[in-house]
Amino acid sequence: MIQNIDSTLSTIIIWQGLFFGTILMGKKFREKGNNIFLSLILLTIGIQFLLIEVVSKYHIMELTVPAVNIGLLYGPLIFFYTRSHLEEDSGFRKSDGIHFIPFLSLLILGFLLNRELYISIVAVRFLSIFIYSLYALMKVVNYKRTIVQVSSQHFGGEEMRLLTMLILISIYNSLIMMVDHLFVNEPYMFVLMLIGVFVYVNFLIYQGIKRPNYFRKLTKDDIDISSFSLKSNGVSKDLYNISELNELSLKLEKYVGDDQVFKNPDLDLKMLADNLEVHPRMLSQAINKVIGNNFHEYINNYRIEESKRLLIKFPSEKLTVKEIMYEAGFTSKSSFNTLFKVKTGLTPTEYRKNF
């Protein structure tokens, strides 16, 4: 029974990995976001499972080394995929080659050691996947902390959840295989891993074909500004004195309220700082320390207040909730409804009926 499940899942994974990995390499999908890394992950999965099947069924033991060793590519690839989604200028750099040294080194070593010793050593690939996946998860966490300091838009929706799920499944698979290798060594553990890989592959396919890239990528300046803003709320020394920040906050409130720049859906910290002719770092600190919000909260508070005003002023036959959402500067219905309910305790429709 378990062998039949093994064989069926492995066959499906091989077919999906090779087929969709090749599809995503094509020009149509490669130009959508950063599908090159998705394609490489899928092809790596397909090739590894194919090699394992060939070794298992036809006893071509010369393929054992590449079949086992190729697993060392998963960790770097999931990390590069995550980074390419979240950060500008995150293409492959020369310095990134260091991440593939373990793969190349152990591949060469595999032809010098006896097979049993080599397989035991290359079990480190599970730990490698686990560490790289945790590092990718840290990238996601840092992105969420940073984006609210520099952007007024909401970027924590379904796309972010999909990316997070991919990383968590990768962590799950690495943990299952580490536990199996070190403590259990039972066939059902391999089935659990196969199920995880199957789900993982289908997440990758869906991400590559349907949702290629929906993130506002962070620049180096964004990361520096956010890091400074977070530190300045702690114990580090402030770059600007409080009187300068108070003066800037008054100027900011007047400008945003009078000119209603919050209605621009693409408004970000740099754009607002340029309009006020101040450094983005100083503006960020004024918002954080004097006003007590991050940039995302600050701008969206204005948008919510404008939405409330329009909901009361215009009946539904004059302005729909969706039209009001766009008029106030929102672009996502889900984020608008969520933020509105957090601020008022009501949905926009309920608020209109009550007031």
Side-chain angles (χ1 to χ4, degrees):
M1 176 68 174
I2 289 180
Q3 285 184 339
N4 289 337
I5 296 174
D6 281 358
S7 179
T8 302
L9 282 175
S10 293
T11 302
I12 294 172
I13 289 168
I14 292 168
W15 181 84
Q16 286 184 318
L18 296 177
F19 178 77
F20 286 103
T22 304
I23 290 293
L24 293 180
M25 274 286 189
K27 184 177 179 181
K28 177 182 177 181
F29 292 105
R30 190 172 67 246
E31 291 178 349
K32 285 181 165 186
N34 302 288
N35 279 341
I36 185 67
F37 290 113
L38 281 181
S39 175
L40 289 173
I41 295 171
L42 286 168
L43 288 172
T44 300
I45 291 171
I47 292 169
Q48 181 176 37
F49 277 82
L50 179 61
L51 290 174
I52 291 172
E53 282 291 298
V54 170
V55 170
S56 171
K57 288 185 177 180
Y58 302 104
H59 306 289
I60 305 176
M61 306 314 292
E62 291 80 8
L63 295 177
T64 301
V65 170
V68 173
N69 193 68
I70 199 171
L72 286 164
L73 293 176
Y74 293 133
L77 288 175
I78 188 64
F79 169 70
F80 291 141
Y81 172 66
T82 303
R83 189 183 69 179
S84 69
H85 258 303
L86 304 181
E87 298 176 8
E88 287 282 5
D89 303 321
S90 57
F92 192 79
R93 310 154 189 159
K94 288 183 179 179
S95 60
D96 289 333
I98 194 172
H99 296 281
F100 297 102
I101 289 177
F103 167 75
L104 295 172
S105 300
L106 289 173
L107 183 62
I108 296 170
L109 192 63
F111 296 103
L112 303 176
L113 300 176
N114 69 69
R115 190 173 296 115
E116 289 74 19
L117 178 59
Y118 174 72
I119 291 175
S120 176
I121 292 173
V122 179
V124 73
R125 69 189 184 277
F126 307 131
L127 181 60
S128 168
I129 298 170
F130 179 72
I131 291 172
Y132 272 104
S133 298
L134 281 183
Y135 195 21
L137 191 60
M138 286 173 58
K139 284 282 184 186
V140 171
V141 172
N142 288 333
Y143 176 88
K144 290 180 178 179
R145 291 176 61 196
T146 301
I147 198 68
V148 294
Q149 297 290 343
V150 296
S151 174
S152 64
Q153 284 300 333
H154 183 69
F155 296 93
E158 183 179 359
E159 296 77 28
M160 182 62 78
R161 287 194 293 272
L162 279 172
L163 179 60
T164 305
M165 280 298 299
L166 281 175
I167 298 169
L168 291 177
I169 295 170
S170 182
I171 292 173
Y172 162 85
N173 287 336
S174 61
L175 285 174
I176 285 289
M177 293 312 294
M178 278 194 288
V179 169
D180 181 44
H181 181 78
L182 295 173
F183 305 110
V184 182
N185 197 23
E186 291 288 345
Y188 73 86
M189 293 294 286
F190 186 69
V191 172
L192 290 176
M193 185 276 294
L194 282 176
I195 293 171
V197 172
F198 175 74
V199 173
Y200 185 66
V201 164
N202 283 277
F203 261 91
L204 289 170
I205 294 168
Y206 178 77
Q207 184 84 340
I209 294 177
K210 292 292 185 181
R211 297 185 178 273
N213 190 4
Y214 284 78
F215 299 105
R216 189 274 204 188
K217 296 184 181 182
L218 299 176
T219 65
K220 187 177 183 302
D221 287 341
D222 290 336
I223 296 169
D224 290 343
I225 289 166
S226 174
S227 176
F228 176 81
S229 297
L230 293 170
K231 286 179 181 178
S232 68
N233 284 327
V235 297
S236 64
K237 185 178 179 180
D238 296 335
L239 184 62
Y240 308 100
N241 64 54
I242 195 66
S243 62
E244 289 179 305
L245 297 179
N246 282 329
E247 183 180 342
L248 177 56
S249 67
L250 292 173
K251 182 180 178 182
L252 171 66
E253 297 272 42
K254 186 176 188 315
Y255 176 70
V256 174
D258 291 350
D259 288 45
Q260 296 191 320
V261 291
F262 58 84
K263 290 186 176 182
N264 179 358
D266 298 319
L267 183 68
D268 62 14
L269 182 73
K270 186 179 184 307
M271 188 186 303
L272 188 54
D274 288 344
N275 291 343
L276 293 169
E277 298 181 338
V278 296
H279 195 285
R281 183 178 289 179
M282 183 178 183
L283 180 59
S284 179
Q285 195 173 25
I287 294 171
N288 279 268
K289 289 189 71 67
V290 179
I291 298 172
N293 293 134
N294 57 51
F295 179 77
H296 180 270
E297 292 169 336
Y298 176 69
I299 295 300
N300 282 291
N301 283 342
Y302 275 98
R303 290 174 177 167
I304 292 296
E305 289 303 314
E306 178 67 6
S307 301
K308 288 161 63 177
R309 185 184 72 80
L310 294 174
L311 285 166
I312 293 172
K313 183 176 181 180
F314 296 101
S316 56
E317 58 269 18
K318 290 285 184 70
L319 272 180
T320 65
V321 170
K322 192 172 184 179
E323 289 170 329
I324 287 172
M325 175 192 83
Y326 288 124
E327 177 65 22
F330 289 99
T331 57
S332 166
K333 187 177 180 181
S334 61
S335 63
F336 170 60
N337 288 334
T338 300
L339 286 171
F340 195 94
K341 188 156 190 176
V342 167
K343 295 294 182 182
T344 66
L346 301 168
T347 66
T349 303
E350 290 170 341
Y351 186 89
R352 173 177 258 165
K353 285 180 181 178
N354 285 3
F355 294 97

